[in-house]
Amino acid sequence: MTKVGFFDSGVGGTCILAAFRRLCPDVATEYLADSANGPYGNRPPEEIVRLSVANTEALLRRGCNVIVVACNTATAAAIDHLRAQFPAIPFVGIEPALKPAALRSKTGVVGVLATAGTFHGRLYNETKARFAAGVTVLAVVADEFVRLVEEWKGGPTEKPLAGAFRDRVERTVRAKVEPLLKAGADKIVLGCTHFPHLKPIIEQVCAGRAEVIDPSDAVARQIRKVLAARFP
Ligand code: DGL
């Protein structure tokens, strides 16, 4: 039986899990939120590799035979290592959707929101060099968004997004996104799986001035493709 295991530093990757469940509701899934060790954004790569190996082993013990690294930061630091250490297991990773953003931008200015770890990774920098050479890419570290989403959804019960908490979320989003809009960005890439959880608020702040690019559905389709190829 096919069972797809997803892991992230916390609740972020549930946006990928939800997109996959919408696409393939009959496939069994497991989700591992490594909240005890998250966030990963500013950890050294070798620590992220160690944690990613532990997460993979835990999901394999739960019977998973495909692993989705539902975290841009962990993909950046660890996917090559994971593929080498577990050669029989198909891995699907995630990197910021800079390519479609750069190709579709009309202003030639693209904003990317992600963690420092993702921006330092090989995948992001190769994609940037290959597909965004003629485009101004504004890279913004938004660790505050990770903390807000964990505070909102990471506890035993989800906190209502209302009142003073909602105001704080809106203020934090505005402070990060408004400068990108002012600089002419017409695409905002959500390069961390915690950020699609804030998409309605990011879109509200953008107010039609920029398209917000959420890769969750594209990653879900990629998982389905890998399943069809490996478990026909
Ligand atoms: N959700 C993770 C990502 O996609 C990172 C958040 C963190 O742990 O800093 O990059």
Side-chain angles (χ1 to χ4, degrees):
M1 193 187 85
T2 308
K3 197 181 200 187
V4 185
F6 297 71
F7 77 82
D8 179 38
S9 63
V11 294
T14 57
C15 62
I16 310 288
L17 173 69
F20 179 69
R21 280 196 176 143
R22 283 194 297 274
L23 195 65
C24 302
D26 299 329
V27 177
T29 54
E30 287 275 343
Y31 187 84
L32 189 157
D34 188 20
S35 323
N37 296 299
Y40 287 179
N42 294 303
R43 281 185 179 272
E46 55 279 10
E47 274 183 27
I48 300 174
V49 168
R50 178 176 57 77
L51 295 168
S52 298
V53 167
N55 295 338
T56 299
E57 285 171 338
L59 288 168
L60 295 178
R61 279 196 298 276
R62 294 188 208 169
C64 297
N65 41 17
V66 176
I67 303 292
V68 178
V69 184
C71 173
N72 293 257
T73 313
T75 301
I79 196 124
D80 294 341
H81 182 103
L82 293 172
R83 288 187 170 128
Q85 184 167 340
F86 304 94
I89 302 294
F91 284 90
V92 177
I94 176 164
E95 63 168 309
L98 181 54
K99 178 182 167 186
L103 294 178
R104 298 210 297 258
S105 174
K106 291 193 174 59
T107 58
V109 183
V110 164
V112 184
L113 300 164
T115 67
T118 297
F119 287 132
H120 289 136
R122 177 182 61 79
L123 280 174
Y124 172 77
N125 288 293
E126 281 179 6
T127 300
K128 187 174 163 205
R130 263 184 86 185
F131 300 105
V135 167
T136 302
V137 179
L138 305 171
V140 175
V141 173
D143 293 334
E144 300 88 334
F145 292 9
V146 177
R147 287 196 291 273
L148 283 172
V149 171
E150 287 298 320
E151 182 179 338
W152 175 20
K153 298 187 170 183
T157 53
E158 188 171 316
K159 188 170 169 160
L161 183 62
F165 180 60
R166 192 190 168 96
D167 292 346
R168 183 151 64 90
V169 172
E170 278 183 22
R171 263 200 318 278
T172 310
V173 167
R174 192 171 295 284
K176 289 284 171 185
V177 171
E178 197 63 55
L180 296 174
L181 300 169
K182 287 217 170 85
D186 65 346
K187 307 285 168 202
I188 307 280
V189 177
L190 305 183
C192 167
T193 53
H194 280 74
F195 302 169
H197 295 272
L198 298 172
K199 190 177 174 198
I201 295 171
I202 298 172
E203 282 184 327
Q204 183 193 313
V205 167
C206 286
R209 290 174 287 172
E211 180 193 1
V212 178
I213 301 185
D214 169 6
S216 307
D217 289 326
V219 178
R221 287 192 297 274
Q222 177 63 18
I223 302 166
R224 182 174 64 179
K225 216 163 119 185
V226 168
L227 293 183
R230 295 293 290 260
F231 305 100

